[in-house]
Amino acid sequence: MPARSPAPAESAPDRGRLGGETVDVLIPEERVRARVDELGRQITRDYAGRPVVLVGVLKGALVFLADLMRALDLPLTLDFVGLSSYVGTGSTGEVTVTSDLTRPIEGLDVLLVEDIVDTGLTMRWLLDHLAQRRPASLAICALLVKPSRARAEVPVRYRGFEIGDDFVVGYGLDVDGRLRNLPYVGVVRR
Ligand code: IMP
Ligand code: MG
């Protein structure tokens, strides 16, 4: 099948994805891609050929993880953890595992891949929870960090971008489950 010709310039390529919302671009697709590649090179250097278990935090980390893993020149395996935090006005720090790892991590180098560290309460809880399984090392790679919202001490060794306290969507991040498939990070205009 021949490739389809590009859409005419006047058509808005995002209209279908947006479903009626208006989203301002905060971090364009090209900047995200360049930064993910940089993180990939940095992590590849740091682990220097050691096997790594990448653990994606569902569901938000899916898109970031898919790109990051292809930027890693390392022998890696993949696993996922699903978490739910009790939400009301915000994160409370009370977290339950809705979907656990499929394999033991004892003695292995584990890199947690997360979309965003906001208050940090979720990642703080997950670090403490996984540390009990005695991995050889446990580090965090987050696409986004909101330093102004930090309520827990979380060592994010690899961070893509530091942002303000806007609620962001796209590139895996959602609002009420939607807008994960935007190829950039944006802010919903209210
Ligand atoms: P925490 O406040 O660091 O515990 O963040 C918990 C979770 O809230 C993150 O893993 C995200 O799934 C979600 N979250 C926090 N800030 C945002 C945002 O700006 N957009 C979308 N999801 C967010
Ligand atoms: Mg999340």
Side-chain angles (χ1 to χ4, degrees):
M1 287 276 284
R4 285 170 57 198
S5 54
E10 66 271 20
S11 77
D14 280 347
R15 196 162 295 154
R17 297 184 176 116
L18 289 171
E21 301 271 15
T22 305
V23 175
D24 295 317
V25 177
L26 183 66
I27 310 173
E29 193 175 352
E30 310 75 52
R31 268 190 79 202
V32 173
R33 186 177 312 125
R35 186 69 186 121
V36 170
D37 286 345
E38 260 173 30
L39 287 172
R41 285 192 291 274
Q42 188 185 352
I43 294 167
T44 298
R45 271 198 310 275
D46 288 358
Y47 286 83
R50 297 203 317 271
V52 180
V53 184
L54 287 187
V55 172
V57 183
L58 294 170
K59 306 170 185 164
L62 172 75
V63 179
F64 177 41
L65 177 66
D67 285 343
L68 181 71
M69 68 187 288
R70 286 175 288 180
L72 295 178
D73 191 12
L74 293 170
L76 61 83
T77 56
L78 191 57
D79 213 338
F80 293 96
V81 65
L83 302 174
S84 90
S85 17
Y86 294 95
V87 267
T89 48
S91 252
T92 58
E94 281 182 75
V95 179
T96 48
V97 175
T98 56
S99 174
D100 206 344
L101 299 179
T102 59
R103 293 188 189 179
I105 53 171
E106 184 167 353
L108 302 175
D109 289 310
V110 174
L111 182 60
L112 293 174
V113 180
E114 174 61 309
D115 52 0
I116 185 165
V117 176
D118 182 30
T119 62
L121 293 169
T122 306
M123 283 316 263
R124 181 69 262 165
W125 185 91
L126 184 60
L127 277 181
D128 297 341
H129 180 74
L130 294 181
Q132 294 168 17
R133 302 183 192 184
R134 300 143 135 321
S137 70
L138 187 55
I140 297 174
C141 177
L143 177 71
L144 304 170
V145 178
K146 290 182 183 173
S148 62
R149 304 245 317 154
R151 286 175 57 198
E153 186 94 5
V154 180
V156 183
R157 186 180 301 163
Y158 306 102
R159 47 183 75 199
F161 302 92
E162 294 190 350
I163 61 172
D165 65 9
D166 283 326
F167 191 86
V168 291
V169 294
Y171 201 70
L173 292 121
D174 71 302
V175 56
D176 299 331
R178 294 174 298 106
L179 299 174
R180 293 191 196 275
N181 59 332
L182 299 177
Y184 50 82
V185 176
V187 179
V188 181
R189 206 185 295 165
R190 291 288 169 201

